[in-house]
Amino acid sequence: MNNNIFTAKEIRQSFLDFFQSKGHRVVPSAPVVPHGDPTLLFTNAGMNQFKDVFLGTGERDYKRAVDTQKCIRVSGKHNDLEEVGVDTYHHTFFEMLGNWSFGDYYKEEAILWAWELLTEVWKLPKERLYATVFRTDDEAFNIWKKYLPENQIQRFNEKDNFWEMGETGPCGPCSEIHFDKTPDLSGAKLVNMGSPDVIEIWNLVFIQYNRNLNGELEPLKAKHVDTGMGFERIVSVIQNKQSNYETDVFMPLINHISELSGKKYTNELNNSDSIAMRVIADHIRTLSFAIADGALPGNEGRSYVLRRILRRASRYSRNLGFKEPMIYKLLPTLISTLGDVFPEIVHEQNTISRVIKAEEENFLATLERGLAKFDDILNNIKSQNLNIISGEDAFLLYDTFGFPLDLTQLIAREKGFDVDSAGFNENMANQRERSRQARKITNEEVISLDSNFITEFTGYNEFVTKTKILFVEKNKVILDKTPFYAESGGQVSDTGILEINGTIYNVVDIQKVGNARIHICNTEISAQVGDVAIAKVDIARRNKIMRNHSATHLLHEALKRVLGNHIKQAGSLVTSTYLRFDFNHFEKIPADKLSEIEHIVNLKIFEAIDVKVQEMTLEQARNNQSIKMFFGDKYGDIVRSVTMDEDFSIELCGGTHIKNTSEIGFFKILSESAIAAGVRRIEAITSIELENYISDLNNKIEQNIKEKENLKSQIKQLEKNLNSIKLQEIASDTENIIAQSMQINGINIITKEIANSDLDALRSIGDEIRNRTSKNTIALLASVNNDKVQLCCVVTDDLKAQYPAGKLVGKAARFLNGGGGGKPHLATAGGKDIEKLPLLLNIFPDLIFEK
Ligand code: SER
């Protein structure tokens, strides 16, 4: 073998260099999260990004391409999940090295170059290479005969040698190259037998058909070449390893796991610790790349696949003894091996790490209890001499403890049990049915209208377009040109009217099917193909939508500036009344930060910046670091950038925008909330919508003022009520107090501490005593408030000249180290020595008569 090309990095580069030297354009990997292809959850092959070229609906400005493509295979037609970790050469995430011909070279060159690279550049031993061809492909067979003896060329049927992207899509016969790792070169019978000793390293697909929705093969206009080589496998071959995990692609991760767990990695296939390490080393890659490209773990579709992967890894980490999150800790190691090839994992490392950690925490919180429940279920089954977990139990584990079905199956399998997955699905379907009821069904009729029409969009520049009918049926019409925007990139569809033969039709929705835009009206249209139609967009509504769309771009950048570079759009909705922006962030945004974000947007509005729209090649866009592009969005070769201040916001966007930021008027955030772990949502309004907002605020303020006034008068009324209750209480208290008077020297003397009262209450009681007794009575009333004693002395009129209350209360107060005085019939005072109060009340008669 070639000793100069040995590390994973060198091997990858030599592949790209080799095909570049054969006239191939080196292109970047597409994101692993494909948007715009509903037939795919994840990018599962290098050819995905060229599907449109194969089908003839798209073009590139090159005829040959080469790349390394990030792939995930966990669901659908190509699903390797079960084998991962258990064997040594399947992965949920892997790199696929590929070279393509778009209607250019075909079998002859594809095979020649594969041979040249493998045997001349990498110098793999020829006797260890096997080629396979589709059973009827004599052409490929004969080409191979130039390089290999016939006993190293084998024919296989559809299962192995007819490659298809999915249920539908480009496909064709293929020729695979397998490598024999057996020590004694005994691999001939092991080709395509699932043996780790003879593995497929390269697949050359000769794309010539499209599998359509009816399952039929339609020949394509041109013939293409699509090759894919498992990068991790070829590295293991060149580095002479039995397992992909022993290469420098995986060893750093395995070593890190081994270090964290204190367990040793061995190459034995059945060692459970080593299986766990392989699974975790594999899964951290899938999770990191999917999250970097904008996916997040969650409950639906693609998100749920990620959650399943994470929970699978998390459960294996527990097998290694971890009770705390650990998977996220491997990220720096992953970055050290792949960060230079795929810088997105470097840019997104904070997001990746926090999302994984949060998900691990989340799952670990119920994992113990879930495993305990699992044991209960198994014991119960065993006691009934059964060996299958019921659908109901599997659903319980899913619904209550978050065990994905495949995890339940995995654990069951480890313990020798089966799972009734049909029963599980039934339980699941019942639950789904309930939520489906609530969901709006989209216009399936329209979606299924398979259209080859092309509608030119004029709505970037005009609101009214004179156009022609290409197709009409019931309430649907396709025009050759239209100013109506069809929902895309979060911006809602336009509404408006069509004027056809003097009749006005209201357009309530627009849908894109292929390159056509279908206008859906609220009444049946009577017209013929070829008739002229005047299409008029509802301008006022469209203007509002454009303001909100441009404001969304400003908001996006303001979020980045205030919260950090990790902010990435996770979703957006732009309507005529408000805008909604979802983005990755991990905590609630404090009020002061929200104001700052709002302020930045408003400053940009007041700067009255011209909005610049430019077309450029995707390549140019990719080379400009400050342009926001969305991983996962499907871009053509020519893209459209929208700039609001070169130093502020540049985004690739197909939406419609205002001409100057000042048209936005004003920007106001209405709410900020969480919609999923690590995803926040801002809702905001602009321009004229502020009018309603402000008048609502005004109404609220007026309402508040009214309520406050109502409350005030209620309080007054309550105070009155309280006073009269107090007076009644005083009246009845007074009776008791008078009853306790003592007669000394012929005078009725009352001394009394009254709890929970104040000077006013003492006065009232004093007055009442004077009223009720009317003569021959002296009273000293006291209460303790705030560390002070308050005193009130009353004297009936017949005694007040001889025993003036002012004097008496003065004496009493001095006894408590205080002072005071007042009228002869009623006087008040205060004293400091609370503790002497009881004594004062005892000796008060003495003070009265003291000379
Ligand atoms: N599309 C083929 C594969 O995925 C070759 O690239 O194997």
Side-chain angles (χ1 to χ4, degrees):
M1 295 201 208
N2 185 334
N3 285 330
N4 295 326
I5 303 170
F6 193 71
T7 66
K9 222 177 274 293
E10 288 161 354
I11 294 166
R12 183 190 295 108
Q13 195 56 49
S14 62
F15 184 91
L16 299 175
D17 291 347
F18 176 80
F19 282 101
Q20 194 173 26
S21 79
K22 307 286 182 203
H24 291 62
R25 172 85 62 88
V26 181
V27 298
S29 170
V32 86
V33 177
H35 283 243
D37 187 347
T39 67
L40 268 186
L41 273 186
F42 290 102
T43 299
N44 66 5
M47 53 73 69
N48 292 172
Q49 64 166 315
F50 304 116
K51 183 179 172 184
D52 56 333
V53 185
F54 293 142
L55 295 180
T57 58
E59 266 179 63
R60 300 292 184 275
D61 61 2
Y62 42 85
K63 291 245 171 276
R64 301 175 182 185
V66 59
D67 76 2
T68 178
Q69 172 65 51
K70 304 175 283 183
C71 296
I72 290 182
R73 289 192 172 177
V74 281
S75 56
K77 186 171 172 61
H78 301 281
N79 179 355
D80 299 332
L81 185 62
E82 295 309 324
E83 286 85 11
V84 172
V86 180
D87 74 13
T88 53
Y89 61 104
H90 280 97
H91 305 291
T92 58
F93 172 89
F94 62 96
E95 282 178 65
M96 188 185 283
L97 300 170
N99 58 289
W100 289 274
S101 149
F102 306 123
D104 187 27
Y105 63 84
Y106 205 46
K107 298 183 186 178
E108 188 73 52
E109 294 88 335
I111 293 174
L112 163 70
W113 289 333
W115 184 252
E116 192 181 322
L117 176 63
L118 293 174
T119 61
E120 287 172 30
V121 180
W122 290 339
K123 303 203 184 315
L124 299 188
K126 296 176 185 167
E127 64 281 10
R128 294 199 169 270
L129 295 171
Y130 289 90
T132 67
V133 299
F134 185 52
R135 56 183 165 72
T136 57
D137 194 351
D138 294 335
E139 190 188 353
F141 194 95
N142 289 329
I143 299 171
W144 275 118
K145 276 204 313 202
K146 299 184 196 167
Y147 311 109
L148 282 170
E150 270 193 48
N151 63 0
Q152 280 173 252
I153 312 170
Q154 304 183 6
R155 291 180 192 257
F156 285 89
N157 61 18
E158 282 76 355
K159 179 175 154 285
D160 292 300
N161 278 71
F162 192 91
W163 194 86
E164 307 205 27
M165 178 182 161
E167 296 313 320
T168 61
C171 52
C174 60
S175 174
E176 296 175 346
I177 301 163
H178 295 248
F179 187 83
D180 184 353
K181 292 184 173 183
T182 60
D184 54 354
L185 273 180
S186 59
K189 19 180 218 311
L190 296 177
V191 175
N192 275 336
M193 297 303 284
S195 160
D197 294 332
V198 179
I199 56 170
E200 174 202 336
I201 51 173
W202 203 345
N203 188 7
L204 318 178
V205 185
F206 310 118
I207 300 265
Q208 44 177 297
Y209 304 107
N210 175 35
R211 173 85 65 192
N212 70 18
L213 278 166
N214 302 329
E216 299 149 354
L217 291 179
E218 293 167 350
L220 296 171
K221 283 195 200 101
K223 291 181 175 170
H224 314 277
V225 172
D226 153 38
T227 91
M229 172 185 283
F231 173 64
E232 295 75 6
R233 291 184 183 184
I234 194 66
V235 174
S236 86
V237 166
I238 295 178
Q239 297 183 352
N240 202 10
K241 304 286 186 194
Q242 282 305 312
S243 150
N244 294 357
Y245 292 94
E246 290 170 71
T247 66
D248 59 344
V249 179
F250 285 98
M251 264 338 267
L253 288 168
I254 301 256
N255 286 337
H256 194 168
I257 300 168
S258 168
E259 201 177 288
L260 290 173
S261 62
K263 307 214 162 159
K264 254 187 70 179
Y265 179 75
T266 77
N267 289 324
E268 291 162 47
L269 268 188
N270 292 329
N271 177 297
S272 60
D273 284 347
S274 300
I275 292 178
M277 290 186 200
R278 288 196 288 268
V279 170
I280 296 168
D282 173 274
H283 288 10
I284 175 73
R285 290 164 32 106
T286 304
L287 292 165
S288 301
F289 281 99
I291 295 168
D293 282 350
L296 287 170
N299 285 331
E300 297 280 341
R302 174 183 300 139
S303 297
Y304 191 56
V305 174
L306 285 190
R307 180 159 282 168
R308 277 167 44 208
I309 296 285
L310 184 127
R311 295 190 171 181
R312 208 162 173 273
S314 187
R315 190 268 178 172
Y316 274 108
S317 80
R318 192 187 165 282
N319 284 7
L320 285 175
F322 293 100
K323 299 226 159 139
E324 300 293 329
M326 62 78 62
I327 303 166
Y328 78 99
K329 293 185 184 163
L330 305 173
L331 186 59
T333 303
L334 180 64
I335 286 175
S336 72
T337 60
L338 284 180
D340 57 341
V341 190
F342 303 109
E344 59 272 25
I345 56 172
V346 183
H347 297 151
E348 301 303 324
Q349 58 182 314
N350 286 339
T351 309
I352 300 168
S353 167
R354 294 163 91 169
V355 168
I356 295 180
K357 183 168 181 230
E359 279 285 314
E360 287 189 81
E361 267 163 3
N362 200 343
F363 184 53
L364 288 170
T366 55
L367 181 58
E368 289 301 318
R369 284 191 299 126
L371 290 173
K373 182 75 202 171
F374 211 112
D375 284 341
D376 284 352
I377 292 171
L378 292 187
N379 287 336
N380 193 11
I381 297 172
K382 268 188 251 169
S383 73
Q384 298 173 51
N385 275 333
L386 295 172
N387 74 342
I388 181 160
I389 297 177
S390 72
E392 217 164 287
D393 280 339
F395 187 73
L396 174 89
L397 286 167
Y398 162 83
D399 206 32
T400 312
F401 301 101
F403 281 41
L405 178 65
D406 57 356
L407 181 59
T408 297
Q409 287 169 323
L410 177 82
I411 302 175
R413 211 180 312 130
E414 283 172 2
K415 310 203 175 195
F417 288 81
D418 238 331
V419 181
D420 174 10
S421 52
F424 172 87
N425 289 334
E426 217 170 278
N427 276 276
M428 191 75 181
N430 289 343
Q431 198 193 46
R432 286 238 169 91
E433 187 49 40
R434 268 171 267 137
S435 52
R436 203 191 338 262
Q437 303 290 354
R439 223 178 298 139
K440 201 176 119 206
I441 296 170
T442 54
N443 198 330
E444 280 167 21
E445 206 189 333
V446 170
I447 301 291
S448 65
L449 218 170
D450 188 14
S451 162
N452 291 317
F453 297 109
I454 298 176
T455 308
E456 181 195 336
F457 178 59
T458 56
Y460 287 133
N461 306 311
E462 59 189 33
F463 294 128
V464 181
T465 299
K466 188 171 171 189
T467 168
K468 218 172 58 207
I469 295 179
L470 298 178
F471 167 93
V472 57
E473 189 186 274
K474 292 187 198 156
N475 62 337
K476 302 176 186 74
V477 55
I478 300 178
L479 305 172
D480 76 334
K481 283 190 268 177
T482 185
F484 283 82
Y485 187 83
E487 186 194 327
S488 169
Q491 178 178 333
V492 296
S493 296
D494 282 330
T495 58
I497 56 170
L498 294 181
E499 219 183 290
I500 306 171
N501 303 329
T503 310
I504 304 273
Y505 300 94
N506 286 310
V507 178
V508 292
D509 194 14
I510 313 283
Q511 298 207 359
K512 250 194 226 168
V513 175
N515 292 318
R517 285 163 202 250
I518 302 176
H519 300 67
I520 300 161
C521 298
N522 63 353
T523 50
E524 209 156 289
I525 300 155
S526 94
Q528 308 279 319
V529 170
D531 284 356
V532 168
I534 314 282
K536 295 185 185 169
V537 166
D538 177 341
I539 300 174
R541 181 172 174 276
R542 164 72 95 74
N543 274 328
K544 289 183 183 176
I545 296 172
M546 294 198 293
R547 291 187 195 115
N548 284 341
H549 200 154
S550 302
T552 304
H553 286 207
L554 295 178
L555 168 65
H556 190 175
E557 181 58 27
L559 282 166
K560 268 184 181 296
R561 301 228 165 166
V562 175
L563 302 176
N565 243 332
H566 63 284
I567 296 295
K568 191 153 45 70
Q569 172 166 339
S572 117
L573 176 70
V574 179
T575 78
S576 61
T577 53
Y578 80 112
L579 64 98
R580 193 174 82 192
F581 189 73
D582 300 340
F583 53 99
N584 303 17
H585 187 60
F586 292 87
E587 56 211 2
K588 186 160 182 56
I589 304 174
D592 59 331
K593 295 268 187 239
L594 275 184
S595 308
E596 202 181 327
I597 291 161
E598 216 168 61
H599 184 60
I600 293 177
V601 174
N602 280 317
L603 284 182
K604 289 291 156 192
I605 293 171
F606 297 136
E607 275 176 36
I609 302 160
D610 280 334
V611 179
K612 263 195 278 172
V613 175
Q614 252 179 311
E615 288 199 334
M616 58 180 78
T617 65
L618 184 56
E619 201 63 26
Q620 284 169 324
R622 281 205 169 107
N623 289 337
N624 184 339
Q625 284 301 314
S626 47
I627 299 190
K628 292 191 191 76
M629 307 180 53
F630 303 116
F631 289 116
D633 270 11
K634 196 174 170 173
Y635 296 108
D637 272 350
I638 298 298
V639 292
R640 190 169 174 269
S641 72
V642 176
T643 306
M644 286 174 260
D645 175 354
E646 258 92 28
D647 297 324
F648 195 73
S649 163
I650 317 181
E651 257 184 50
L652 291 196
C653 177
T656 62
H657 289 267
I658 40 149
K659 300 255 176 296
N660 184 288
T661 59
S662 62
E663 291 173 47
I664 303 171
F666 198 77
F667 171 82
K668 176 80 200 142
I669 293 176
L670 295 187
S671 67
E672 188 273 338
S673 58
I675 56 162
V679 189
R680 314 277 323 167
R681 166 169 294 174
I682 280 184
E683 294 184 328
I685 53 173
T686 63
S687 64
I688 202 74
E689 292 299 317
L690 263 292
E691 205 174 68
N692 285 335
Y693 175 76
I694 291 172
S695 88
D696 276 356
L697 265 191
N698 248 336
N699 289 342
K700 271 190 199 142
I701 291 173
E702 274 165 28
Q703 183 73 15
N704 272 346
I705 293 175
K706 262 193 207 140
E707 275 172 14
K708 208 167 132 191
E709 253 141 37
N710 282 344
L711 283 178
K712 263 191 195 161
S713 66
Q714 273 180 32
I715 290 173
K716 270 202 185 124
Q717 188 54 45
L718 287 173
E719 272 173 356
K720 264 192 198 157
N721 294 351
L722 189 65
N723 269 343
S724 80
I725 292 169
K726 265 192 188 161
L727 285 178
Q728 283 168 19
E729 274 179 2
I730 287 169
S732 72
D733 280 356
T734 312
E735 248 352 279
N736 286 333
I737 293 168
I738 294 171
Q740 292 166 28
S741 68
M742 334 166 250
Q743 228 187 31
I744 299 173
N745 295 343
I747 296 176
N748 292 327
I749 297 174
I750 298 167
T751 61
K752 177 83 183 159
E753 181 184 349
I754 297 168
N756 302 324
S757 60
D758 56 14
L759 213 45
D760 281 344
L762 296 186
R763 271 199 205 100
S764 308
I765 297 172
D767 278 339
E768 197 60 24
I769 290 174
R770 274 172 35 89
N771 286 341
R772 293 195 183 217
T773 55
S774 77
K775 57 179 205 253
N776 199 32
T777 304
I778 297 174
L780 179 71
L781 305 172
S783 82
V784 177
N785 274 318
N786 303 329
D787 294 334
K788 275 198 309 203
V789 181
Q790 289 171 317
L791 296 170
C792 173
C793 179
V794 288
V795 179
T796 47
D797 287 348
D798 55 329
L799 299 179
K800 69 181 184 196
Q802 198 182 349
Y803 303 104
K807 236 190 204 154
L808 297 184
V809 88
K811 284 188 194 173
R814 274 194 296 284
F815 188 81
L816 298 180
N817 191 18
K823 306 252 171 67
H825 72 287
L826 185 150
T828 57
K832 292 176 197 147
D833 297 343
I834 302 172
E835 69 283 4
K836 283 167 82 178
L837 179 61
L839 185 57
L840 169 67
L841 297 180
N842 265 333
I843 61 148
F844 183 62
D846 299 340
L847 296 183
I848 296 174
F849 302 114
E850 180 186 81
K851 286 285 173 244

